[in-house]
Amino acid sequence: MSFWKSQLIEVIDWTEPRDGLLSYRFPVEGNEIKSGAQLTVRDTQVALFVEEGRPADVFAPGLHTLDTENLPVLTKLKSWPYGFKSPFKAEVYFFSLRQQLGQRWGTPAPITIRDKEFGAVQIRMFGIFSYHLSDIPAFFQKVSGTREQYTREELDQELIGRIASSAATAFAQSGVPFLDMAANQAKLAAAIKLALQGEVQELGISIDSFVVENVSVPEALQQALTDKMSLGIIGEDLNKFSQYQAARALTEAAKNPGGLGGIGAGLAVGAAVGKAMSHAFCPKCGSPAQADAQFCAKCGNKL
């Protein structure tokens, strides 16, 4: 009698021994659950009974006595029309409902997006997000399956891949120009969250928060943006061209100690070009000036 009694499971619970576990299969194999056994589901958990791979009864937080009344689906699957009094076998899985906070995400490779001003642009992004399990049967069937344990790290790999796809879609639909992205990161994050929620909802996952912390571009594009801003300054005042050239010459010389001798040449070229460009147009009316002209032919301003 003591042998058979030892084979009957009378208490079923899970204490979540470590952080990062999303699901845990209670060890029932080889043992039988006693009719009238006590199932304890804590506040941050859900318990799922599974019969031959099919989700059956779901138990919310609380203390449950296992009998016919609270195992209606399992009773039907096992063909117990009049209930059961003998021990039975079924797989029992616990799932954590806690919010998974502060999860890091980043694009594994540059994402190619289409910008209204720059055309095709490759960007990288990273930030944080949080989520929780919202549909346990769907998550069991499509994600965790019959594994003994399923961890947060395993799910993060799936989510990060979907984030990259959602980010490209959200950016295209948001209409935010690339140059204004830094000032609209909250808007971009909201758009990505909405797109991502549509991707993972069928997996039984709900996205609680999504934050874009940084958006970066390749070095070549960053240099092109810098040059564009520099040319914008030149367009406002042609006389600043020589200052811009001097600054560029000093920067390049600082990178290459052997090139310090070229600073003077760079400054001279910058000054000469700046002077030539400043005399190519009338500073007062902006009209083109003829070569060697002393006065503007249109307004008479001295060149």
Side-chain angles (χ1 to χ4, degrees), residues 242-293:
S242 58
Q243 300 175 11
Y244 171 69
Q245 286 292 95
R248 288 291 298 272
L250 289 172
T251 301
E252 294 301 322
K255 293 180 181 178
N256 182 12
L260 290 175
I263 293 180
L267 292 174
V269 171
V273 175
K275 183 177 180 180
M277 292 186 66
S278 65
H279 282 77
F281 298 91
C282 175
K284 183 176 181 180
C285 68
S287 300
Q290 297 180 356
D292 300 328

Side-chain angles (χ1 to χ4, degrees), residues 1-294:
M1 292 297 296
S2 61
F3 170 77
W4 290 110
K5 186 176 181 180
S6 67
Q7 298 301 301
L8 300 181
I9 297 175
E10 298 182 349
V11 177
I12 302 174
D13 66 348
W14 181 39
T15 57
E16 299 187 48
R18 71 179 182 87
D19 187 33
L21 278 182
L22 297 178
S23 73
Y24 168 74
R25 185 179 65 201
F26 187 84
V28 177
E29 185 178 357
N31 297 335
E32 291 184 313
I33 300 172
K34 180 180 178 180
S35 176
Q38 300 296 305
L39 169 66
T40 301
V41 183
R42 290 169 173 79
D43 287 341
T44 58
Q45 301 172 353
V46 163
L48 173 67
F49 278 66
V50 176
E51 168 63 15
E52 296 183 355
R54 292 175 294 180
D57 299 287
V58 179
F59 290 86
L63 178 62
H64 308 273
T65 300
L66 303 180
D67 53 30
T68 307
E69 293 183 0
N70 60 17
L71 286 168
V73 179
L74 188 64
T75 298
K76 182 178 180 180
L77 292 175
K78 283 185 171 291
S79 300
W80 291 331
Y82 304 106
F84 64 92
K85 296 297 182 182
S86 60
F88 66 97
K89 286 188 178 181
E91 292 182 317
V92 183
Y93 293 84
F94 285 91
F95 294 85
S96 174
L97 297 181
R98 292 187 298 112
Q99 269 197 346
Q100 306 300 317
L101 301 171
Q103 304 305 299
R104 306 296 308 182
W105 68 270
T107 52
I111 300 174
T112 301
I113 60 176
R114 185 170 296 280
D115 184 72
K116 295 180 179 179
E117 184 173 355
F118 295 98
V121 178
Q122 287 188 325
I123 63 173
R124 287 181 180 271
M125 294 186 288
F126 64 83
I128 58 175
F129 70 105
S130 65
Y131 64 89
H132 72 277
L133 306 185
S134 56
D135 187 337
I136 300 306
F139 184 79
F140 170 79
Q141 289 183 306
K142 297 182 178 181
V143 182
S144 63
T146 58
R147 303 182 191 184
E148 182 178 351
Q149 296 181 353
Y150 190 84
T151 66
R152 184 173 59 201
E153 288 73 18
E154 292 176 281
L155 181 59
D156 285 351
Q157 294 178 6
E158 172 68 21
L159 292 179
I160 289 174
R162 291 175 179 264
I163 286 174
S165 173
S166 299
T169 302
F171 183 86
Q173 296 177 349
S174 67
V176 177
F178 174 75
L179 290 179
D180 298 334
M181 190 181 296
N184 290 275
Q185 286 186 185
K187 180 179 179 181
L188 179 62
I192 296 176
K193 177 185 175 183
L194 183 62
L196 181 61
Q197 183 59 55
E199 288 271 339
V200 302
Q201 187 172 5
E202 64 178 10
L203 303 180
I205 301 168
S206 181
I207 304 298
D208 298 310
S209 65
F210 194 91
V211 178
V212 177
E213 293 183 332
N214 182 268
V215 180
S216 61
V217 297
E219 185 177 350
L221 179 56
Q222 185 60 55
Q223 183 60 52
L225 293 174
T226 301
D227 291 343
K228 182 178 178 64
M229 289 186 290
S230 301
L231 291 174
I233 295 174
I234 295 169
E236 296 175 4
D237 187 348
L238 295 175
N239 289 326
K240 292 184 178 179
F241 183 79
S242 58
Q243 300 175 11
Y244 171 69
Q245 286 292 95
R248 288 291 298 272
L250 289 172
T251 301
E252 294 301 322
K255 293 180 181 178
N256 182 12
L260 290 175
I263 293 180
L267 292 174
V269 171
V273 175
K275 183 177 180 180
M277 292 186 66
S278 65
H279 282 77
F281 298 91
C282 175
K284 183 176 181 180
C285 68
S287 300
Q290 297 180 356
D292 300 328
Q294 299 296 321

